[in-house]
Amino acid sequence: MKVVVVGGGIIGCATAYELARAGCAVTLLERATPGAEASGAAAGLLALLGESSETAFARLARASWRLYPDVVRELQERTGIDVEYVTRGTIYPMSASQTRRDAEVWAVNKELGVEVVDGQDVQALEPALSPKISHAIFVKGDHWLNNQRLVLAYAQAAVAAGVELHTACNVSRVVVEGGRARAVVAEGERVEGDAVLLAAGAWTSELVRSLGMRLPVEPRRGQMIALTHAPPVLTHCVHGEAYLVPRPSGELLIGATVERAGFQRAVTAEGIAGLLRAAIELAPSLRDLPIARTWCGFRPWAPDGLPILGPWPGIEGLWVSTAHFRNGILLAPITARLMTEWITEGNPGMDVKDFLPDRFGAG
Ligand SMILES: Cc1cc2nc3c(=O)[nH]c(=O)nc-3n(C[C@H](O)[C@H](O)[C@H](O)COP(=O)(O)OP(=O)(O)OC[C@H]3O[C@@H](n4cnc5c(N)ncnc54)[C@H](O)[C@@H]3O)c2cc1C
């Protein structure tokens, strides 16, 4: 089966890789470079957070989280890329009453190793945190990784598995003939496939519009800061009003705003000021660290906050995988696998009805 994948973010790269491993001939078309947009801009947290309830989304998130150790090992074996996957745990400062409430909910996920800690223990765990923090939940099993490297690892593994990757290749429209998606037009040329998968992140709605149809996916801007983390101040991830992510490569990330700002590619005074204020409140000694870089990215968002996965209604062979919003890095491994099973075998192997494209009356 020939599959054309549009978009070389984490979702497109991971799915192209899995499709190739399942025996498909895959062409992956990316208008910039792999990870150029949201997937490169992310913080790389694989946090299940409050995802302990029994919703379809919680099950999807948990399934992906569990795949990660093997995915990381496999990608390292195939590409040699170390994606800086670490498990040092995350501290969530909060009020005493909230701590009790959330700890009970989160404890359902036994693998997370959830513990309630009070002021003294917080200081013992992470001496740089503000003494004003009186209570926190410590999630020992939380992981994070370097998402820029992860996208590159998936892209390289995909190419090694036979995927034909075209960068600097803009797709202008999908070609539908006789009720079937037959091809896309990329840089003026027709690229044929038995199936077309749209994984163009926040831009997926533009491609759907090329068919005269509507997909209500919009960008939600996220601004981020990296501090030069030398001397290192934190060992754990800390998740309060802002999150703080110490990376083995020597940066401390501070994130992230969630803004409705269209595709305005700007890091703003208000965005950065808010993040710095929240970060310094959590760990006062951060005020002395140099700012290494700032950036922003566009999370693909749907009105109900859930991913949009599956066949496009009424057009044979057209598939969509987008709107992973704040969780695309976490959800990439499971999304790639279920979309591959769905496209190649006709069954996603999971309960996906909450994620179907036709839930917005699409088409
Ligand atoms: C600041 C920030 C922090 C985040 N932190 C986390 C986190 O810690 N953990 C987590 O799980 N998630 C996080 N996310 C969310 C995550 O980054 C996204 O959900 C995920 O990257 C979406 O992946 P994607 O492949 O769908 O989209 P993108 O990464 O945006 O990829 C889409 C790709 O399609 C390409 N494209 C678009 N249109 C076309 C076209 N016409 N032709 C060809 N190519 C096209 C683009 O160039 C782009 O490379 C964060 C996001 C942001 C912005």
Side-chain angles (χ1 to χ4, degrees), residues 6 58 81 103 107 136 176 220 232 272 346 349-350:
V6 183
I81 295 177
V176 177
R220 287 293 178 267
I272 295 304
M350 281 189 84

Side-chain angles (χ1 to χ4, degrees), residues 300-348:
W301 171 90
D304 56 7
L306 296 176
I308 301 178
L309 309 174
W312 188 261
I315 300 180
E316 238 356 64
L318 182 60
W319 298 82
V320 177
S321 181
T322 187
H324 292 78
F325 191 33
R326 304 190 74 171
N327 297 290
I329 307 299
L330 169 63
L331 296 175
I334 193 71
T335 299
R337 290 193 190 185
L338 79 83
M339 289 306 299
T340 296
E341 274 191 56
W342 214 344
I343 293 169
T344 58
E345 288 164 32
N347 187 335

Side-chain angles (χ1 to χ4, degrees), residues 50-74:
E51 305 308 339
S52 37
S53 52
E54 276 311 311
T55 60
F57 181 80
R59 282 192 289 276
L60 190 73
R62 256 197 322 270
S64 210
W65 191 84
R66 287 180 182 144
L67 288 177
Y68 254 104
D70 286 344
V71 164
V72 164
R73 206 172 308 121
E74 184 179 309

Side-chain angles (χ1 to χ4, degrees), residues 134-309:
S134 61
H135 290 85
I137 292 181
F138 180 44
V139 180
K140 257 195 216 152
D142 247 356
H143 314 287
W144 58 95
L145 47 66
N146 183 320
N147 43 289
Q148 291 89 354
R149 290 191 183 187
L150 182 72
V151 190
L152 291 180
Y154 261 127
Q156 282 195 13
V159 170
V163 171
E164 204 180 299
L165 166 64
H166 295 269
T167 56
C169 182
N170 183 61
V171 172
S172 54
R173 67 186 184 90
V174 181
V175 180
V176 177
E177 288 161 355
R180 247 206 105 81
R182 301 275 176 199
V184 299
V185 176
E187 301 294 325
E189 307 245 330
R190 212 177 136 113
V191 181
E192 313 263 344
D194 306 306
V196 172
L197 171 64
L198 304 181
W203 295 269
T204 307
S205 36
E206 287 176 11
L207 288 163
V208 170
R209 211 174 303 133
S210 77
L211 294 164
M213 295 177 182
R214 189 178 159 268
L215 179 74
V217 173
E218 290 175 22
R220 287 293 178 267
R221 187 173 68 186
Q223 300 186 44
M224 296 273 305
I225 304 170
L227 303 180
T228 303
H229 200 205
V233 171
L234 296 173
T235 312
H236 303 88
C237 206
V238 182
H239 205 144
E241 205 185 309
Y243 52 73
L244 313 174
V245 188
R247 284 197 165 170
S249 55
E251 283 188 328
L252 181 82
L253 306 193
I254 304 174
T257 63
V258 182
E259 301 162 86
R260 190 175 181 173
F263 285 109
Q264 273 186 62
R265 209 177 283 277
V267 170
T268 65
E270 187 184 29
I272 295 304
L275 291 174
L276 289 175
R277 186 194 46 70
I280 291 170
E281 197 148 301
L282 286 168
S285 53
L286 294 184
R287 61 163 54 90
D288 298 323
L289 296 185
I291 294 176
R293 54 198 179 101
T294 59
W295 66 95
C296 70
F298 302 106
R299 305 175 185 90
W301 171 90
D304 56 7
L306 296 176
I308 301 178
L309 309 174

